[in-house]
């Protein structure tokens, strides 16, 4: 009887895209991460990397593959305080870091700002993702500056969504700041995305092969996000156009090579120190401080 085998040997495939057995698939993932690091010059051998970790498959794969490739990594976990949403992934992260001898640091909205995301959302002052995204970025930037670079687990699916979102919203400033890495600046820690060319499905397969335990749980606020709607549209379109997401990424990569450092720096024009916290801002008071101020005022009145 004819049997489908791995593209490189006679073993049974664990993946159809590409068609590889477990050991060749594992090598494929490491090679792809290395390709991203080399192609976009993300890291030097002695770079100290802090990885923003949620305990989900993408961030644990980022930690694991960078460590396997010999880099010095530390995990940074931000607990926003969203019901029990982070409970399981926090446990998975602690187990993973202990088993793999990886340092990690935990910070929370409650300790940093005095309120959880749930408490902030209850004030109805801002969209949940605006509060979450702004305050999370603020904390990651604050803590990442103690390291050389900050790595995130954004994958090919996330990035194709981001490119399309910025295009559809005509957000040219963010559009020029996307890509597998940002330039380091006085204001922002350099961000890198080592999983840039790996799909969601490939990362999931990798975590299964490596026995990395991650429990899927959706953020209760994601239903109301623009990204969630676009993700669904792109996934539906990708059913009959398999290369579509990779093509978005490669088209963007070509555009990036025409955008020079000045384009990225242009998006930092007009930035100065926030008069409240000293972090980057294009107004007198940065958005993170403004959000905190508004929410605290509303919570006081409640
Ligand atoms: Fe934060 Fe949830 Fe929105 Fe993601 S979906 S930005 S975790 S509130």
């Amino acid at each position: 009887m004819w049997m489908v085998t791995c593209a490189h040997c006679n073993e049974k495939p664990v993946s159809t895209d590409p068609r590889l057995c477990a050991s060749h698939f594992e090598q494929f993932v490491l090679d792809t991460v290395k390709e991203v690091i080399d192609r976009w010059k993300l890291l030097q051998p002695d770079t100290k990397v802090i990885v923003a970790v949620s305990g989900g498959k993408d961030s644990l794969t980022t930690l694991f593959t960078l460590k396997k490739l010999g880099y010095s990594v530390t995990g940074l976990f931000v607990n926003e305080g969203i019901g029990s949403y982070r409970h399981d992934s926090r446990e998975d992260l602690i187990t993973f870091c202990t088993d793999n001898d990886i340092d990690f640091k935990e910070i929370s909205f409650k300790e940093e700002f005095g309120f959880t995301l749930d408490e902030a959302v209850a004030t109805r002052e801002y969209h949940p993702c605006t509060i979450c995204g702004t305050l999370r970025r603020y904390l990651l930037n604050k803590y990442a500056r103690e390291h050389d670079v900050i790595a995130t687990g954004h994958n090919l699916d996330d990035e194709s969504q981001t490119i399309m979102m910025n295009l559809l919203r005509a957000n040219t400033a963010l559009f020029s700041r996307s890509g597998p890495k940002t330039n380091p600046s006085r204001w922002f820690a350099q961000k890198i995305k080592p999983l840039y060319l790996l799909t969601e499905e490939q990362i999931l397969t990798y975590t299964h092969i490596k026995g990395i335990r991650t429990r899927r749980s959706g953020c209760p606020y994601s239903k109301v996000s623009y990204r969630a709607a676009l993700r669904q549209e792109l996934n539906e379109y990708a059913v009959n156009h398999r290369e579509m997401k990779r093509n978005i990424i490669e088209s963007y990569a070509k555009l990036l090579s025409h955008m020079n450092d000045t384009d990225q720096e242009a998006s930092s024009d007009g930035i100065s120190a926030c008069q409240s916290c000293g972090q980057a801002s294009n107004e007198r008071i940065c958005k993170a401080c403004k959000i905190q101020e508004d929410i605290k005022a509303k919570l006081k009145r409640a």
Side-chain angles (χ1 to χ4, degrees), residues 105-170:
K105 180 178 179 65
E106 179 174 359
I107 51 180
S108 71
F109 277 20
K110 188 75 180 175
E111 278 172 26
E112 296 280 338
F113 307 122
F115 52 78
T116 64
L117 184 65
D118 286 340
E119 287 164 352
V121 170
T123 65
R124 297 180 178 273
E125 278 288 292
Y126 294 91
H127 187 285
C129 299
T130 303
I131 309 170
C132 182
T134 307
L135 297 187
R136 216 181 131 76
R137 266 195 306 279
Y138 170 90
L139 288 180
L140 291 179
N141 196 46
K142 178 175 159 187
Y143 285 92
R145 293 178 93 183
E146 295 161 13
H147 291 71
D148 296 329
V149 297
I150 181 159
T152 59
H154 291 96
N155 60 42
L156 188 138
D157 287 69
D158 301 325
E159 289 304 298
S160 54
Q161 289 154 22
T162 302
I163 293 165
M164 293 309 292
M165 271 169 67
N166 289 331
L167 266 180
L168 295 173
R169 288 170 152 174

Side-chain angles (χ1 to χ4, degrees), residues 70-103:
Y71 294 100
S72 153
V73 286
T74 302
L76 177 63
F77 177 73
V78 180
N79 194 341
E80 304 91 344
I82 307 175
S84 58
Y85 168 53
R86 294 288 189 205
H87 180 266
D88 290 349
S89 51
R90 181 176 175 276
E91 268 188 3
D92 293 341
L93 171 67
I94 293 171
T95 308
F96 173 84
C97 286
T98 310
D99 290 352
N100 290 286
D101 195 22
I102 294 174
D103 289 338

